[in-house]
Amino acid sequence: MAKKPKDPNKKSLWAEFKEFINKGNAFMLAVGVVIGGAFNAIVTALVNILMSVATWGVPGGLKGLVTVLPALNDAQKGMDEAIGLGQKFESSELQALAKTLAEKTYGEATVLANPNLIESVKATILGKYTLHGLTYTYNMSAVIDWGTFINAIIAFIIIAITLFVIVKVTTVLAKKREEAKAKLQAKIKKEEPAEEAKEEKAE
């Protein structure tokens, strides 16, 4: 079977890809993505600083602003409600709770003979609870994280204000550049008849 002759007007996939990459829009988009990522890191750091200052006197800071919803089933109740390991507990209680659970699980005599069991139990507890500020919450519980929500709102406001200022400054500079260009063109047009008149007189 004879091969079909190549259409000279039809570009190869590689040629189309190179043409796309070489376009200014694609390059500027890539630069924008990189700068946007770096800008996001700056905004995140700024928000964290502002929140640390604003919540200086709040125990646990903004991260501690959580609401633990009531348990609807046994899976959400925590490891052991009877000893205080329910849906949440304070970080200051961790060591005592680990000791109590170790003694309940292995027996007081065994724990006294092997104190490392307390650290092992503590590691188990930390694997099932998440620290929010100064409070540990059970991972299976339904938690409303107000701190993260407020953080996101503040980050959005900072980004919006920053972008507004950048766009405003860019617009003003572009307008001034256009005005300067228009004035220069008007000046050139005004001087052209005078130059032509001088040339005619010289002739």
Side-chain angles (χ1 to χ4, degrees):
M1 237 179 124
K3 288 184 179 178
K4 289 183 180 179
K6 286 187 177 179
D7 185 356
N9 296 321
K10 190 176 181 181
K11 294 180 182 177
S12 68
L13 191 63
W14 176 246
E16 288 181 9
F17 178 70
K18 282 198 297 184
E19 187 179 333
F20 169 75
I21 289 297
N22 290 329
K23 281 183 181 176
N25 289 344
F27 178 74
M28 292 307 292
L29 179 63
V31 171
V33 169
V34 173
I35 291 175
F39 182 68
N40 181 56
I42 294 170
V43 169
T44 302
L46 179 60
V47 170
N48 289 336
I49 291 169
L50 291 175
M51 287 301 94
S52 297
V53 173
T55 59
W56 193 292
V58 179
L62 195 65
K63 292 179 181 178
L65 296 176
V66 294
T67 300
V68 182
L69 300 178
L72 295 179
N73 51 58
D74 291 338
Q76 295 179 336
K77 288 181 180 179
M79 287 181 68
D80 194 333
E81 279 190 298
I83 64 168
L85 282 170
Q87 287 186 292
K88 60 179 182 177
F89 62 88
E90 296 303 309
S91 57
S92 58
E93 301 171 343
L94 176 60
Q95 189 66 29
L97 289 170
K99 184 183 177 184
T100 304
L101 183 60
E103 290 174 350
K104 185 178 179 180
T105 306
Y106 301 105
E108 190 174 346
T110 306
V111 172
L112 282 171
N114 190 4
N116 290 333
L117 285 173
I118 296 175
E119 293 304 314
S120 176
V121 170
K122 187 194 290 186
T124 303
I125 294 170
L126 292 176
K128 295 185 178 182
Y129 286 81
T130 301
L131 183 64
H132 294 279
L134 298 176
T135 304
Y136 281 99
T137 60
Y138 191 54
N139 292 340
M140 296 294 288
S141 297
V143 177
I144 301 174
D145 192 346
W146 300 107
T148 301
F149 179 64
I150 295 168
N151 225 14
I153 291 173
I154 293 169
F156 170 77
I157 291 169
I158 291 173
I159 291 171
I161 291 171
T162 305
L163 290 177
F164 172 75
V165 170
I166 291 171
V167 171
K168 188 75 174 173
V169 169
T170 305
T171 305
V172 169
L173 290 175
K175 189 177 179 182
K176 286 184 177 180
R177 187 169 60 248
E178 289 299 321
E179 287 175 356
K181 190 177 177 182
K183 283 180 182 178
L184 183 61
Q185 287 177 347
K187 188 178 179 182
I188 291 169
K189 284 182 180 179
K190 200 173 183 181
E191 289 175 354
E192 279 178 356
E195 290 292 330
E196 288 175 4
K198 282 181 183 179
E199 287 176 4
E200 286 176 3
K201 282 181 182 181
E203 289 174 2

